[in-house]
């Protein structure tokens, strides 16, 4: 049985924000991650604020500028199957299709996928780790085969579990947020928190704030996007290594774009070394080989996750190869 | 979109009047209500509600297998808990209780979801279907029959969840490929390893259902 909490399902965003400003209040979107966290007692919750009653948080709409607004409560299945997303931002549709299992995709939302808690077994387990307000990270000297090879700051070694976040970051999306101080937009690439900035929170949402939507810019000319996820089993697992590519092609040449890794770091990890290796070049064998070396040049593996080094090389090689053939 | 609508109407043909009347207000009707400016009901079918205190029983109505049930629930009770412990519908199983095994899969508005990760209060207004709801009187539904005929289980513990995932697949996609079948039950673990028979049962159910 879960610990006790009060429950409210407000009908307006303003009421939801008011409820969320109370101490120990949390957002319930699809509820898949929240209920797991409650059951495992890794969050201290007094009040569950369901946002299912907020009309403005549903649906996928074209924006005036030619982009898309995806309401936070759009399910992962809806994102994966949406015809416009599949056509214009296939990388995001692919990322969504790789999330968890079909029932979880039917219930989990795009907003919740961006706000989910990490899967580190010390964090999820009975360990009073740094991220839960303790004074130790257990990963560097423990079972660290699924932990980060970038971005830990030698503080916390979680990998961010989202498959859609790297895609949104690569596609230059923005996160729409509503809160006590009104509405604001944040680039998807700046939505998640590095341990060195603050170890006890995964996103930059302030108390009382709700992620209301993600906004995709109109696809730039020549955009191709993909997502690749490698995991221990083919279904229902988190990424060991993954990459979201959003590259703009001018003929055969990569004119610009972004490369963002999953399963790599405490946040979706933008790989500037790979971007530097491919932008301005055609994706021939030499360029791809250089990019595959570059992706792990700055990696800092732990005792049990050094297998991620050749894995990321392989993922980058295969995905650049794939995206080079439209 | 067109495909979805035709499947939904095809599915509804087999339902009782009360069930159909309910869906009209909770499902497609939600859009019309939102447009006409009346109280918004989410795709789940639930509307705004006042704060329910912790540890206190609040009254909700759940629509399970075509019947409304007025129930007293605590906010923290899951749909799985209420189905089994309050309504006595023990066909839905508790396995892991954390969304990893699929034994508790039910349909919510025709879509497979895990009842262990759904609060009962969240399912208010939605059409919940459990494995018991696939019976027509005392006759097994096509998916249930196919599981029996194809010997698609050993211990049987995961079977209700497998059946609900296949039922959900066929309501959305009456003619699935083998890959689509495998994908549809990929959130349902079978420790006995009856997968190949489960895939066969799903294919045979799809065929029988289309007859």
């Amino acid at each position: 049985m879960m610990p006790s909490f009060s429950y409210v399902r407000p009908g307006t965003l303003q009421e939801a924000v008011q409820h969320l400003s109370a101490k120990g209040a949390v957002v319930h979107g699809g509820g898949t991650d929240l209920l797991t966290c409650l059951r495992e007692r890794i969050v201290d919750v007094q009040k569950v604020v369901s946002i299912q009653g907020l009309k403005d948080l549903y649906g996928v709409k074209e924006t005036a500028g030619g982009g898309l607004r995806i309401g936070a409560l759009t399910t992962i299945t809806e994102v994966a199957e949406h015809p416009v997303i599949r056509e214009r931002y296939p990388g995001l549709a692919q990322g969504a299709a790789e999330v968890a299992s079909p029932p979880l995709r039917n219930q989990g939302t795009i907003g919740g996928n961006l706000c989910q808690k990490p899967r580190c077994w010390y964090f999820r387990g009975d360990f009073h780790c740094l991220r839960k307000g303790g004074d130790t990270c257990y990963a560097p000297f423990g079972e660290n085969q699924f932990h980060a090879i970038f971005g830990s700051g030698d503080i916390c070694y979680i990998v961010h579990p989202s498959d859609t976040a790297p895609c949104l970051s690569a596609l230059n999306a923005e996160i729409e947020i509503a809160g006590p101080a009104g509405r604001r937009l944040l680039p998807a690439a700046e939505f998640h928190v590095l341990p060195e900035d603050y170890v006890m929170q995964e996103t930059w949402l302030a108390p009382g704030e709700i992620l209301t939507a993600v906004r995709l810019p109109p696809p730039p000319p020549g955009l191709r996007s993909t997502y690749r996820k490698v995991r221990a089993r083919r279904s229902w697992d988190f990424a060991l290594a993954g990459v979201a590519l959003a590259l703009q092609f001018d003929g055969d040449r990569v004119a610009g774009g972004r490369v963002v890794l999953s399963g790599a770091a405490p946040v979706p990890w933008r790989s500037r070394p790979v971007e530097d290796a491919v932008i301005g070049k055609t994706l021939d064998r030499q360029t791809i080989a250089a990019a595959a070396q570059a992706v792990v040049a700055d990696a800092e593996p732990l005792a049990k996750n050094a297998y991620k080094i050749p894995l990321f090389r392989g993922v980058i090689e295969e995905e650049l190869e794939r995206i080079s053939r439209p | 979109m067109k495909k979805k609508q035709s499947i939904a109407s095809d599915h509804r043909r087999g339902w009782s009047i009360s069930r159909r009347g309910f869906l009209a207000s909770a499902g497609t009707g939600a859009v019309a209500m939102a447009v006409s400016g009346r109280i918004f009901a989410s795709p789940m079918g639930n509307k705004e509600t006042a704060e329910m205190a912790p540890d206190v029983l609040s009254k909700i109505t759940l629509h399970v297998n075509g019947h409304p049930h007025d129930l007293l629930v605590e906010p923290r009770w899951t749909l799985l808990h209420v189905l089994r412990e309050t309504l006595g519908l023990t066909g839905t199983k508790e396995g892991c209780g954390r969304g990893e095994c699929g034994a508790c899969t039910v349909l919510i508005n025709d879509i497979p979801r895990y009842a262990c990760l759904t609060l009962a209060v969240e399912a208010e207004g939605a059409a919940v279907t459990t494995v018991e709801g696939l019976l027509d009187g005392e006759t097994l539904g096509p998916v249930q029959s196919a599981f029996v005929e194809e010997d698609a289980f050993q211990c049987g513990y995961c079977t209700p969840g497998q059946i609900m995932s296949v039922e959900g697949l066929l309501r959305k996609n009456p003619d699935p490929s083998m890959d689509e079948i495998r994908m549809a039950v990929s959130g349902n673990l079978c420790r006995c390893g009856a997968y190949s028979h489960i895939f066969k049962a799903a294919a045979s159910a799809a065929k029988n259902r289309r007859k």
Side-chain angles (χ1 to χ4, degrees):
Chain A
M1 189 61 73
M2 282 181 278
S4 296
F5 49 80
S6 69
Y7 172 91
V8 64
R9 200 162 57 229
T12 67
L13 193 55
Q14 199 185 354
E15 288 170 84
V17 166
Q18 270 166 16
H19 280 292
L20 280 168
S21 302
K23 192 177 174 293
V26 288
V27 174
H28 179 301
T32 57
D33 190 43
L34 175 63
L35 264 62
T36 322
C37 289
L38 284 168
R39 198 179 294 268
E40 291 166 359
R41 294 170 196 257
I42 57 172
V43 287
D44 188 18
V45 170
Q46 266 85 54
K47 172 153 65 173
V48 168
V49 183
S50 171
I51 52 174
Q52 290 281 341
L54 306 183
K55 187 165 63 174
D56 194 37
L57 271 57
Y58 291 95
V60 180
K61 292 187 191 86
E62 307 223 14
T63 56
L68 278 189
R69 179 189 187 270
I70 306 175
L73 290 173
T74 308
T75 65
I76 299 296
T77 298
E78 287 165 345
V79 172
E81 294 181 352
H82 196 279
V84 178
I85 297 175
R86 288 173 68 121
E87 188 203 320
R88 295 189 204 161
Y89 312 96
L92 176 60
Q94 289 165 21
E98 296 291 308
V99 172
S101 68
L104 288 172
R105 292 197 288 274
N106 292 340
Q107 179 168 354
T109 63
I110 185 79
N113 195 260
L114 298 176
C115 296
Q116 63 186 308
K117 293 282 179 187
R119 309 303 303 192
C120 167
W121 41 37
Y122 297 108
F123 177 75
R124 294 263 165 181
D126 209 6
F127 294 84
H128 194 52
C129 74
L130 273 180
R131 192 164 286 275
K132 288 189 285 194
D135 56 9
T136 308
C137 173
Y138 295 85
F141 308 105
E143 294 298 318
N144 51 38
Q145 46 271 58
F146 302 126
H147 287 79
I149 58 169
F150 295 106
S152 70
D154 294 332
I155 300 166
C156 167
Y157 294 82
I158 63 160
V159 290
H160 198 273
S162 173
D163 293 307
T164 60
C167 305
L168 290 168
S169 176
L171 288 162
N172 214 3
E174 285 182 307
I175 309 293
E176 192 186 287
I177 297 163
R183 290 177 183 265
R184 65 185 177 118
L185 283 172
L186 202 58
E190 293 168 24
F191 183 64
H192 293 100
V193 182
L194 275 170
E196 65 198 43
D197 291 327
Y198 184 49
V199 75
M200 287 182 64
Q201 200 169 305
E202 292 76 36
T203 73
W204 286 113
L205 288 177
E209 284 192 324
I210 304 176
L211 191 166
T212 53
V214 298
R215 287 173 174 272
L216 287 158
L223 176 71
R224 293 180 206 163
S225 64
T226 60
Y227 181 68
R228 172 78 182 279
K229 175 179 179 179
V230 178
R231 49 194 148 176
R233 54 180 179 185
R234 182 62 192 89
S235 64
W236 196 174
D237 212 344
F238 294 91
L240 298 175
V243 63
L245 298 177
L247 301 178
Q248 292 135 250
F249 283 79
D250 178 8
D252 284 344
R253 199 179 64 94
V254 178
R258 287 186 178 188
V259 176
V260 183
L261 309 179
S262 60
V267 299
W269 190 251
R270 187 163 172 195
S271 181
R272 290 184 192 271
V274 175
E275 292 173 12
D276 291 344
V278 299
I279 290 170
K281 311 244 171 62
T282 53
L283 293 179
D284 53 26
R285 279 180 66 180
Q286 204 181 353
T287 304
I288 291 175
Q293 289 303 314
V295 67
V296 288
D298 304 330
E300 294 176 322
L302 298 162
K304 298 185 176 180
N305 68 2
Y307 70 90
K308 289 195 179 191
I309 302 280
L311 194 52
F312 270 107
R313 281 195 191 122
V315 165
I316 289 295
E317 197 176 305
E318 287 189 8
E319 283 307 286
L320 288 175
E321 183 84 18
R322 181 158 80 104
I323 206 169
S324 73
R325 293 176 267 112
Chain B
M1 200 56 211
K2 194 181 165 198
K3 197 174 173 190
K4 268 190 187 169
Q5 280 168 356
S6 69
I7 294 156
S9 59
D10 170 61
H11 165 58
R12 266 178 240 161
R13 237 179 275 142
W15 286 13
S16 67
I17 302 231
S18 62
R19 179 71 168 266
R20 186 182 303 145
F22 167 70
L23 237 218
S25 64
T28 51
V31 177
M33 283 162 69
V35 169
S36 68
R38 288 168 58 193
I39 297 170
F40 168 73
S42 74
M44 279 285 281
N46 54 30
K47 294 172 192 152
E48 64 181 279
T49 178
E51 190 161 345
M52 299 176 181
D55 300 321
V56 174
L57 296 171
S58 302
K59 193 186 148 195
I60 64 164
T61 304
L62 286 186
H63 293 263
V64 182
N65 299 332
H67 301 289
H69 298 271
D70 292 333
L71 302 163
L72 291 168
V73 302
E74 281 186 39
R76 63 174 166 166
W77 287 2
T78 62
L79 177 61
L80 175 63
H81 178 82
V82 170
L83 289 173
R84 289 181 58 87
E85 308 299 330
T86 310
L87 294 176
L89 294 169
T90 53
T92 308
K93 304 300 183 207
E94 174 155 27
C96 66
R98 44 193 274 173
E100 290 178 3
C101 78
C104 67
T105 307
V106 297
L107 301 187
I108 295 186
N109 295 339
D110 295 337
I111 296 170
R113 290 176 46 152
Y114 295 144
C116 76
L117 293 186
T118 304
L119 292 176
V121 288
E122 280 282 306
E124 201 180 8
V128 179
T129 310
T130 69
V131 71
E132 291 90 347
L134 303 185
L135 288 166
D136 178 10
E138 294 192 353
T139 311
L140 295 179
V143 180
Q144 293 168 309
S145 302
F147 269 67
V148 174
E149 282 155 21
E150 297 293 342
D151 192 22
F153 47 83
Q154 286 183 41
C155 83
Y157 198 80
C158 73
T159 310
Q162 304 279 1
I163 287 175
M164 296 319 288
S165 281
V166 172
E167 179 72 25
L169 167 70
L170 300 183
R171 287 185 184 188
K172 185 176 174 184
N173 175 5
D175 189 12
S177 67
M178 194 44 86
D179 272 352
E180 286 168 330
I181 289 170
R182 295 163 79 100
M183 177 61 82
V185 294
S186 65
N188 298 81
L189 300 186
C190 170
R191 293 294 80 176
C192 304
Y195 291 109
S196 60
H197 289 212
I198 291 168
F199 303 153
K200 261 193 239 168
S204 128
K207 210 168 131 194
N208 292 338
R209 219 169 158 275
R210 289 198 304 275
K211 274 181 190 164

